[in-house]
């Protein structure tokens, strides 16, 4: 618990925010010209860190493992049928 706090993200539209079970990390899909995943440590003043950087795929739907050690996500090749 605590006061609401703004999160600075790189330019783009952050969506699909997921908090790890231990509450220490936040994952998000950042939509720009492509779609990549970013994470940040919730209780630290460090900027978000890119997890994926591939313009050939739309990387979405992040989800942490129960122990918060792994991050699963969906990767779809740009231009592939949905």
């Amino acid at each position: 618990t605590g006061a609401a706090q703004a999160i600075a993200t790189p330019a783009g539209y952050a969506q699909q925010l997921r908090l790890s079970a231990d509450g220490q990390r936040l994952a998000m899909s950042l939509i720009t010209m492509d779609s990549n995943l970013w994470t940040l440590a919730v209780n630290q003043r460090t900027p978000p860190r890119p997890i994926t950087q591939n313009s050939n795929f739309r990387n979405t739907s992040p989800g942490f493992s129960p122990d918060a050690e792994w991050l699963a996500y969906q990767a779809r090749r740009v231009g592939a049928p949905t």
Side-chain angles (χ1 to χ4, degrees):
T1 62
Q5 188 175 17
I7 298 171
T9 62
Y13 175 69
Q15 65 177 15
Q16 301 175 329
L17 281 73
R18 303 290 188 267
L19 186 64
S20 61
D22 62 6
Q24 298 299 307
R25 292 175 39 203
L26 181 70
M28 69 189 94
S29 177
L30 189 67
I31 307 302
T32 55
M33 292 297 287
D34 50 15
S35 177
N36 284 297
L37 301 178
W38 295 69
T39 63
L40 66 98
V42 173
N43 293 325
Q44 297 176 7
R45 300 272 185 212
T46 56
R49 176 173 71 99
I51 297 298
T52 61
Q53 293 180 312
N54 188 328
S55 60
N56 294 325
F57 290 89
R58 289 201 177 272
N59 301 303
T60 61
S61 306
F64 285 100
S65 62
D67 63 2
E69 291 294 320
W70 296 93
L71 182 67
Y73 60 93
Q74 179 181 13
R76 184 172 56 97
R77 183 175 295 281
V78 174
T82 57

